[in-house]
Amino acid sequence: MDTTRRNVLKGLGGALTLPMLEASTRQAQAAGSKDTPTRLLVVGNPLGAHPEHFFPADFGKSFTLSPTLRSLDWVKDRMTVISHTDHGMVNGHGREISFLNGVLPANAAAYPEKNMSVDQVMARHTSGMVRYSSVNAALERGIRMNWTANGTELEPFTDPQKLFDHLFLNLSADEKRIRRELIERNGSILDAVGGQFASLKQRASQSDKQRLEQYATAVRELEGSFADRKSWVDRDKPKFDVSEHFRDYEVTVENRYNAIFDMITYAFQTDMTRVATVGFPNELKYTDIDGVTRSYHGCTHNGQNEDIIAELVAIESFQIAQLSRCLKKLDSIKEPNAEGTMLDHTMVLFGSGMGYGGTHSNRNLPIMVIGGGFKHLGHVDARNASGTNMPLCNLYVTMLQRFGVERDKFNTSTGSFEMGWA
């Protein structure tokens, strides 16, 4: 192993194996080429951002970073901040769950993907190529970003230790045997259900057929999931040590998120997954951050009090600083089979399904994209000639295409977001 790579691995904080050699071989076999995979990392919050501090004051590639985004100065030429994009929903709480799909569960039947979130569309695309189709983490429940094709919310890992166990703890021989038996038993049950389903569908009404088709989608995904899981049971996971964070991870929000982001970075590096999401929930306490005395949610109800707004901006700046630290990790890792770094091959999306929690606005969502090999545009005004905000799903169409998913529409999209890639 070369010196540069050894230093990078040590920088991740642990005693590591040589996973990229095996992962690169698997990846090349799965893709039929030596192309480096494109990855997705979504970092989101449910309460938006204070607009005057988040959005830059000027547009174009040479824009001036806003106060909240200052920690991203080093990556400014590889980011695009998008103003005036949303999902076209009325203001109020409850709409923020549409961040990654553009539709609410009650309205999902009208769309081909129902309310499946864009990260899960990409995760489905990688099924069988990686150990985990996606990894979802937050320090508390409440972010509600991830939705399957049958409208089920995917709950994130909320304990960094449990996320570590999930990603890096190997099963014993007996546990592997039990897991194989369980997978085989569940697979046979699905086969039986599939036969009953076909018979039932022939006699169903039109509305019931729609419900059954939604169920069938879930069954097909489960069948694929069981098949994929069986192939991974006997493959050992890569080793990773995040003890430097776990020593006091219960004390500070920062250390706990450091652990989460580092684990996801290493999961990307070893090709355990290509899709990950990290959430900053609305009721999370940030009182270990200098100057913050209130809850995150409490700071959004600030009555335009400058002192409380300052606390809110401190929290939002902290979120961006955590993201910036993760981006630096990704940018420190050289891709073994391609030019550039892991950041150059990872689409990083930051945003929210709410524009600003202080007014419960669901317009002008705080959205930015970093890395991913895009030809970045700086700060963009996404309104059309008539002043109408761009559907956020237009951006998702472009990101899906960049990920390798061939499509020209996603839920409420009216086109794509014009941002090319190398």
Side-chain angles (χ1 to χ4, degrees), residues 99-117:
F99 171 37
L100 295 179
N101 51 28
V103 298
L104 297 172
N107 305 324
Y111 299 93
E113 298 288 357
K114 305 299 187 288
N115 64 317
M116 189 177 192
S117 51

mmCIF file of all heavy atoms in Angstrom, residues 99-117:
data_model
loop_
_atom_site.group_PDB
_atom_site.id
_atom_site.type_symbol
_atom_site.label_atom_id
_atom_site.label_comp_id
_atom_site.label_asym_id
_atom_site.label_seq_id
_atom_site.Cartn_x
_atom_site.Cartn_y
_atom_site.Cartn_z
ATOM 1 N N PHE A 99 -39.374 16.728 1.406
ATOM 2 C CA PHE A 99 -38.080 17.238 0.959
ATOM 3 C C PHE A 99 -37.507 16.444 -0.213
ATOM 4 O O PHE A 99 -37.135 17.015 -1.249
ATOM 5 C CB PHE A 99 -37.103 17.238 2.147
ATOM 6 C CG PHE A 99 -35.672 17.546 1.795
ATOM 7 C CD1 PHE A 99 -35.345 18.482 0.811
ATOM 8 C CD2 PHE A 99 -34.634 16.901 2.461
ATOM 9 C CE1 PHE A 99 -34.012 18.761 0.501
ATOM 10 C CE2 PHE A 99 -33.312 17.182 2.161
ATOM 11 C CZ PHE A 99 -33.004 18.116 1.176
ATOM 12 N N LEU A 100 -37.435 15.126 -0.102
ATOM 13 C CA LEU A 100 -36.754 14.320 -1.112
ATOM 14 C C LEU A 100 -37.682 13.646 -2.113
ATOM 15 O O LEU A 100 -37.241 12.819 -2.903
ATOM 16 C CB LEU A 100 -35.877 13.261 -0.425
ATOM 17 C CG LEU A 100 -34.709 13.808 0.400
ATOM 18 C CD1 LEU A 100 -33.925 12.674 1.039
ATOM 19 C CD2 LEU A 100 -33.791 14.681 -0.445
ATOM 20 N N ASN A 101 -38.970 14.008 -2.083
ATOM 21 C CA ASN A 101 -39.878 13.397 -3.070
ATOM 22 C C ASN A 101 -40.834 14.397 -3.708
ATOM 23 O O ASN A 101 -41.385 14.125 -4.776
ATOM 24 C CB ASN A 101 -40.670 12.241 -2.441
ATOM 25 C CG ASN A 101 -41.350 12.630 -1.148
ATOM 26 O OD1 ASN A 101 -41.700 13.786 -0.936
ATOM 27 N ND2 ASN A 101 -41.538 11.649 -0.265
ATOM 28 N N GLY A 102 -41.079 15.526 -3.077
ATOM 29 C CA GLY A 102 -41.926 16.557 -3.674
ATOM 30 C C GLY A 102 -43.406 16.343 -3.518
ATOM 31 O O GLY A 102 -44.201 17.182 -3.951
ATOM 32 N N VAL A 103 -43.821 15.232 -2.876
ATOM 33 C CA VAL A 103 -45.248 14.949 -2.716
ATOM 34 C C VAL A 103 -45.518 14.480 -1.288
ATOM 35 O O VAL A 103 -44.633 13.953 -0.613
ATOM 36 C CB VAL A 103 -45.742 13.877 -3.714
ATOM 37 C CG1 VAL A 103 -45.561 14.358 -5.144
ATOM 38 C CG2 VAL A 103 -45.011 12.556 -3.512
ATOM 39 N N LEU A 104 -46.732 14.664 -0.853
ATOM 40 C CA LEU A 104 -47.153 14.189 0.450
ATOM 41 C C LEU A 104 -47.790 12.810 0.329
ATOM 42 O O LEU A 104 -48.349 12.465 -0.721
ATOM 43 C CB LEU A 104 -48.155 15.170 1.071
ATOM 44 C CG LEU A 104 -47.604 16.572 1.358
ATOM 45 C CD1 LEU A 104 -48.735 17.503 1.788
ATOM 46 C CD2 LEU A 104 -46.512 16.512 2.417
ATOM 47 N N PRO A 105 -47.740 11.995 1.375
ATOM 48 C CA PRO A 105 -48.322 10.652 1.300
ATOM 49 C C PRO A 105 -49.774 10.642 0.827
ATOM 50 O O PRO A 105 -50.175 9.763 0.068
ATOM 51 C CB PRO A 105 -48.191 10.139 2.740
ATOM 52 C CG PRO A 105 -47.006 10.861 3.286
ATOM 53 C CD PRO A 105 -47.055 12.225 2.662
ATOM 54 N N ALA A 106 -50.566 11.629 1.244
ATOM 55 C CA ALA A 106 -51.985 11.656 0.872
ATOM 56 C C ALA A 106 -52.185 11.861 -0.620
ATOM 57 O O ALA A 106 -53.230 11.474 -1.167
ATOM 58 C CB ALA A 106 -52.705 12.763 1.644
ATOM 59 N N ASN A 107 -51.199 12.450 -1.293
ATOM 60 C CA ASN A 107 -51.321 12.728 -2.726
ATOM 61 C C ASN A 107 -50.465 11.807 -3.583
ATOM 62 O O ASN A 107 -50.350 11.997 -4.794
ATOM 63 C CB ASN A 107 -50.907 14.183 -3.015
ATOM 64 C CG ASN A 107 -51.688 15.176 -2.177
ATOM 65 O OD1 ASN A 107 -52.858 14.973 -1.909
ATOM 66 N ND2 ASN A 107 -51.032 16.248 -1.757
ATOM 67 N N ALA A 108 -49.862 10.802 -2.966
ATOM 68 C CA ALA A 108 -48.830 10.021 -3.647
ATOM 69 C C ALA A 108 -49.364 9.129 -4.764
ATOM 70 O O ALA A 108 -48.638 8.821 -5.715
ATOM 71 C CB ALA A 108 -48.085 9.160 -2.624
ATOM 72 N N ALA A 109 -50.618 8.703 -4.678
ATOM 73 C CA ALA A 109 -51.145 7.741 -5.652
ATOM 74 C C ALA A 109 -51.120 8.270 -7.079
ATOM 75 O O ALA A 109 -51.099 7.491 -8.035
ATOM 76 C CB ALA A 109 -52.561 7.345 -5.275
ATOM 77 N N ALA A 110 -51.078 9.580 -7.242
ATOM 78 C CA ALA A 110 -51.119 10.164 -8.583
ATOM 79 C C ALA A 110 -49.776 10.114 -9.292
ATOM 80 O O ALA A 110 -49.688 10.447 -10.479
ATOM 81 C CB ALA A 110 -51.578 11.622 -8.498
ATOM 82 N N TYR A 111 -48.726 9.662 -8.613
ATOM 83 C CA TYR A 111 -47.379 9.694 -9.192
ATOM 84 C C TYR A 111 -46.821 8.285 -9.344
ATOM 85 O O TYR A 111 -47.082 7.410 -8.511
ATOM 86 C CB TYR A 111 -46.451 10.535 -8.314
ATOM 87 C CG TYR A 111 -46.901 11.969 -8.202
ATOM 88 C CD1 TYR A 111 -47.725 12.381 -7.150
ATOM 89 C CD2 TYR A 111 -46.523 12.904 -9.148
ATOM 90 C CE1 TYR A 111 -48.159 13.694 -7.052
ATOM 91 C CE2 TYR A 111 -46.949 14.232 -9.059
ATOM 92 C CZ TYR A 111 -47.763 14.615 -8.007
ATOM 93 O OH TYR A 111 -48.185 15.916 -7.918
ATOM 94 N N PRO A 112 -46.045 8.053 -10.416
ATOM 95 C CA PRO A 112 -45.522 6.703 -10.669
ATOM 96 C C PRO A 112 -44.700 6.139 -9.514
ATOM 97 O O PRO A 112 -44.781 4.944 -9.210
ATOM 98 C CB PRO A 112 -44.646 6.905 -11.921
ATOM 99 C CG PRO A 112 -45.207 8.099 -12.592
ATOM 100 C CD PRO A 112 -45.698 8.989 -11.496
ATOM 101 N N GLU A 113 -43.891 6.991 -8.864
ATOM 102 C CA GLU A 113 -43.048 6.532 -7.768
ATOM 103 C C GLU A 113 -43.746 6.662 -6.415
ATOM 104 O O GLU A 113 -43.115 6.466 -5.375
ATOM 105 C CB GLU A 113 -41.745 7.344 -7.733
ATOM 106 C CG GLU A 113 -40.884 7.222 -8.974
ATOM 107 C CD GLU A 113 -40.204 5.872 -9.084
ATOM 108 O OE1 GLU A 113 -40.364 5.048 -8.160
ATOM 109 O OE2 GLU A 113 -39.528 5.649 -10.093
ATOM 110 N N LYS A 114 -45.059 7.005 -6.444
ATOM 111 C CA LYS A 114 -45.788 7.298 -5.205
ATOM 112 C C LYS A 114 -45.013 8.399 -4.467
ATOM 113 O O LYS A 114 -44.660 9.398 -5.045
ATOM 114 C CB LYS A 114 -45.962 6.022 -4.378
ATOM 115 C CG LYS A 114 -46.617 4.890 -5.148
ATOM 116 C CD LYS A 114 -48.012 5.255 -5.606
ATOM 117 C CE LYS A 114 -48.731 4.079 -6.236
ATOM 118 N NZ LYS A 114 -48.214 3.709 -7.564
ATOM 119 N N ASN A 115 -44.742 8.231 -3.165
ATOM 120 C CA ASN A 115 -43.944 9.243 -2.472
ATOM 121 C C ASN A 115 -42.547 8.721 -2.144
ATOM 122 O O ASN A 115 -41.923 9.110 -1.157
ATOM 123 C CB ASN A 115 -44.646 9.718 -1.194
ATOM 124 C CG ASN A 115 -44.794 8.615 -0.168
ATOM 125 O OD1 ASN A 115 -45.144 7.497 -0.512
ATOM 126 N ND2 ASN A 115 -44.561 8.935 1.093
ATOM 127 N N MET A 116 -42.033 7.835 -2.992
ATOM 128 C CA MET A 116 -40.675 7.313 -2.823
ATOM 129 C C MET A 116 -39.675 8.455 -2.942
ATOM 130 O O MET A 116 -39.733 9.268 -3.862
ATOM 131 C CB MET A 116 -40.396 6.253 -3.887
ATOM 132 C CG MET A 116 -39.100 5.493 -3.690
ATOM 133 S SD MET A 116 -38.931 4.215 -4.971
ATOM 134 C CE MET A 116 -37.562 3.270 -4.315
ATOM 135 N N SER A 117 -38.770 8.557 -1.998
ATOM 136 C CA SER A 117 -37.799 9.644 -2.009
ATOM 137 C C SER A 117 -36.688 9.356 -3.007
ATOM 138 O O SER A 117 -36.382 8.206 -3.319
ATOM 139 C CB SER A 117 -37.231 9.866 -0.608
ATOM 140 O OG SER A 117 -36.761 8.661 -0.047
#
